[in-house]
Amino acid sequence: MSIARRRFAAEGTIAPTLDEVRREAEVSVGSLYHHFPDKAALAAAVYAQIMAEYQDGFLAMLRDQATAEDGIRGGVRNHLNWVAAHRGEAVLLLGDRRDSAELAESNRNFFAAIRDWWRPHHTYGALVALRPGVTAALWLGPAQEYARYWVSGGVGGMEDDVVETFADAAWKALQARPIEE
């Protein structure tokens, strides 16, 4: 799968043929088709693998944060820094979603861990209530759109001040507001 991952990250999922990937990986036709009946299945497996690695890194970063603010800001930094370090793989993840059982399982585990991290920070009043779609959009949505722009070549480097702009915005959107009397 590493050959497919490298080729898909460099060329997209359409350009390399299944036979090219098979030959480069030096596996038999039967062996490849035993695991992946077509290129779509191979692409879905690569997508799930990359997403799981991204999610593992995100959660590791999140667990290391001392405060809710550090976690929210760190999530944005982690996301944009990962995109900058993994441009080709980021293009795959930012493109068409490729569903699979592996991806569904990885997502279930990831979002359960996010809920577990979020809950105490909300309970003691640091974060707004977790509303999955809304929270994800506020936390990473603007950074995600910037990442799409960045990987398309819209700008040169992933500038630190830009990363901090999105980290600031996410924290402002997700921090709990004191109750006014």
Side-chain angles (χ1 to χ4, degrees):
M1 201 159 57
S2 63
I3 300 294
R5 180 176 175 156
R6 181 180 53 75
R7 293 285 304 269
F8 291 166
E11 304 168 49
T13 58
I14 295 172
T17 68
L18 201 52
D19 192 52
E20 289 171 345
V21 171
R22 180 198 62 76
R23 278 187 275 123
E24 191 173 339
E26 299 178 346
V27 297
S28 70
V29 171
S31 178
L32 180 67
Y33 283 100
H34 174 73
H35 295 287
F36 308 104
D38 54 29
K39 190 163 65 166
L42 179 58
V46 168
Y47 185 97
Q49 181 186 58
I50 295 168
M51 183 63 80
E53 290 172 10
Y54 168 88
Q55 291 171 339
D56 289 346
F58 191 99
L59 292 175
M61 172 284 308
L62 200 56
R63 287 184 198 106
D64 288 343
Q65 304 311 307
T67 67
E69 181 176 357
D70 291 343
I72 297 301
R73 291 175 181 277
V76 173
R77 289 181 194 117
N78 186 82
H79 178 70
L80 291 174
N81 291 333
W82 185 90
V83 168
H86 302 90
R87 188 181 206 127
E89 291 165 326
V91 169
L92 293 175
L93 293 187
L94 293 170
D96 292 338
R97 182 182 165 124
R98 302 194 177 266
D99 289 321
S100 66
E102 294 80 10
L103 178 63
E105 179 67 19
S106 182
N107 284 343
R108 269 191 299 279
N109 294 336
F110 178 72
F111 291 113
I114 294 292
R115 282 189 303 276
D116 290 347
W117 178 84
W118 198 278
R119 190 175 300 111
H121 295 296
H122 170 67
T123 300
Y124 73 76
L127 293 175
V128 298
L130 180 68
R131 295 171 46 201
V134 173
T135 301
L138 292 172
W139 193 355
L140 295 177
Q144 183 84 329
E145 284 307 306
Y146 183 76
R148 288 180 202 287
Y149 179 70
W150 185 83
V151 299
S152 72
V155 291
M158 186 70 73
E159 304 292 332
D160 288 343
D161 65 318
V162 172
V163 172
E164 290 309 309
T165 295
F166 291 113
D168 291 345
W171 174 242
K172 287 175 185 168
L174 296 170
Q175 68 181 333
R177 307 292 188 270
I179 298 173
E180 296 181 22
E181 296 181 29

